[in-house]
Amino acid sequence: MKRIVLLGPPGVGKGTQAERISDKYGIPHISTGDIFRANMKQGTPLGKLAKEYIEKGLLVPDDVTCGMVWDRLAEEDCKAGYLLDGFPRTVYQAEQLDAHLKAVGQDPQDITVLNIQAPTQTLIERATGRRICKDCGKSYHTVYTPPKTEGICDVCGGELRIRPDDALETVQNRLKVYEDQTSPLIEYYRTTDRLADIDGCQAIDGVFGQICALLGEKP
Ligand code: ADP
Ligand code: ADP
Ligand code: ZN
């Protein structure tokens, strides 16, 4: 049973690793950012609300985000484990997650938190070079993971775009929000013995290798 939380600053490579972990271990990849973006694209009330915050680089309010995650975790495919990417992002969300897991009969201590880290300059370079497919949401990087044909998604042929919140100024805001609101989670999980540090400076395969070595040792 794998229940994993991916923790790390914007652009460190959470989504990239999440896709691979999800494939290898057969668990659903739950990205709160992806769910918000899908709602924004469809123009749902949740999407309209989220957009107000996301485009400024701010966090969507905790209660909205938690409610959305509890609904997703209740789905059938999460019974055999799951990978949370981008949630929790505040100490409040982490406390609520622990309480929610207890309430549904899961032990919060069973969670493995992978803390991926890299220096600020690397994060900025990764986020500003990121391109995402406007149709399927797949992510590329202009230098590190370019598509076969420039500007076109390898998977679906959709057009690649810059995420509006990957503009330099917004990335800088998101990094500040991470420092203030998300980095305290590192201590929250370390002191409860659930944290594993991963060196995000390596190439994508290297980071994945370190994650697999770590997860492989766990039942
Ligand atoms: P996050 O979900 O943490 O914001 P992503 O997984 O979307 O990060 O990665 C941000 C960008 O950096 C993407 O364009 C991705 O292709 C690229 N990237 C991810 N991991 C690496 C890596 N280890 N080395 C180089 N580029 C990477
Ligand atoms: P990244 O990891 O590159 O910052 P995400 O795709 O995870 O990007 O998130 C994009 C945006 O969605 C965040 O900047 C934030 O506004 C919002 N968001 C995602 N997850 C959460 C969360 N757990 N709580 C509040 N807001 C969130
Ligand atoms: Zn696509």
Side-chain angles (χ1 to χ4, degrees):
M1 170 71 73
K2 297 261 188 281
R3 295 190 183 121
I4 301 166
V5 167
L6 280 186
L7 190 61
V12 77
K14 299 182 297 298
T16 302
Q17 298 301 327
E19 253 181 54
R20 295 184 171 210
I21 298 167
S22 166
D23 281 351
K24 173 160 179 172
Y25 296 102
I27 50 175
H29 169 202
I30 303 174
S31 157
T32 40
D34 285 350
I35 303 176
F36 286 134
R37 279 185 290 278
N39 276 275
M40 281 157 57
K41 196 174 156 207
Q42 289 160 17
T44 66
L46 172 66
K48 285 181 185 149
L49 185 146
K51 190 167 187 277
E52 298 292 315
Y53 297 91
I54 291 178
E55 61 187 17
K56 298 189 184 93
L58 301 173
L59 297 184
V60 178
D62 283 334
D63 288 332
V64 174
T65 307
C66 288
M68 178 178 94
V69 173
W70 309 160
D71 287 348
R72 182 65 188 86
L73 289 178
E75 287 179 33
E76 190 61 30
D77 63 342
C78 293
K79 288 224 161 69
Y82 44 80
L83 169 65
L84 287 168
D85 163 14
F87 181 91
R89 238 174 164 103
T90 62
V91 170
Y92 178 81
Q93 289 178 11
E95 288 167 353
Q96 291 299 304
L97 176 63
D98 284 350
H100 176 77
L101 294 178
K102 270 189 204 142
V104 298
Q106 293 175 19
D107 183 355
Q109 284 301 124
D110 283 347
I111 282 187
T112 303
V113 183
L114 302 174
N115 175 37
I116 313 181
Q117 292 162 304
T120 306
Q121 202 42 48
T122 305
L123 304 174
I124 291 178
E125 197 195 346
R126 287 185 187 170
T128 55
R130 171 162 47 196
R131 299 291 181 271
I132 60 167
C133 171
K134 80 174 193 358
D135 295 328
C136 74
K138 188 176 164 52
S139 160
Y140 297 86
H141 190 282
T142 51
V143 176
Y144 302 115
T145 55
K148 292 196 183 82
T149 311
E150 200 190 324
I152 305 291
C153 177
D154 292 345
V155 180
C156 78
E159 186 194 320
L160 302 187
R161 291 192 177 156
I162 299 179
R163 242 171 69 178
D165 62 338
D166 279 339
L168 180 60
E169 201 181 316
T170 316
V171 171
Q172 283 165 336
N173 268 344
R174 286 160 59 206
L175 289 171
K176 182 160 188 330
V177 167
Y178 172 83
E179 270 317 310
D180 293 347
Q181 294 182 261
T182 309
S183 71
L185 280 183
I186 296 173
E187 283 318 301
Y188 180 82
Y189 285 120
R190 202 188 297 284
T191 52
T192 48
D193 206 23
R194 293 181 278 180
L195 196 85
D197 289 309
I198 305 290
D199 174 13
C201 298
Q202 311 166 77
I204 294 172
D205 287 343
V207 179
F208 188 57
Q210 196 184 347
I211 291 175
C212 293
L214 201 135
L215 292 177
E217 294 161 10
K218 301 209 162 207

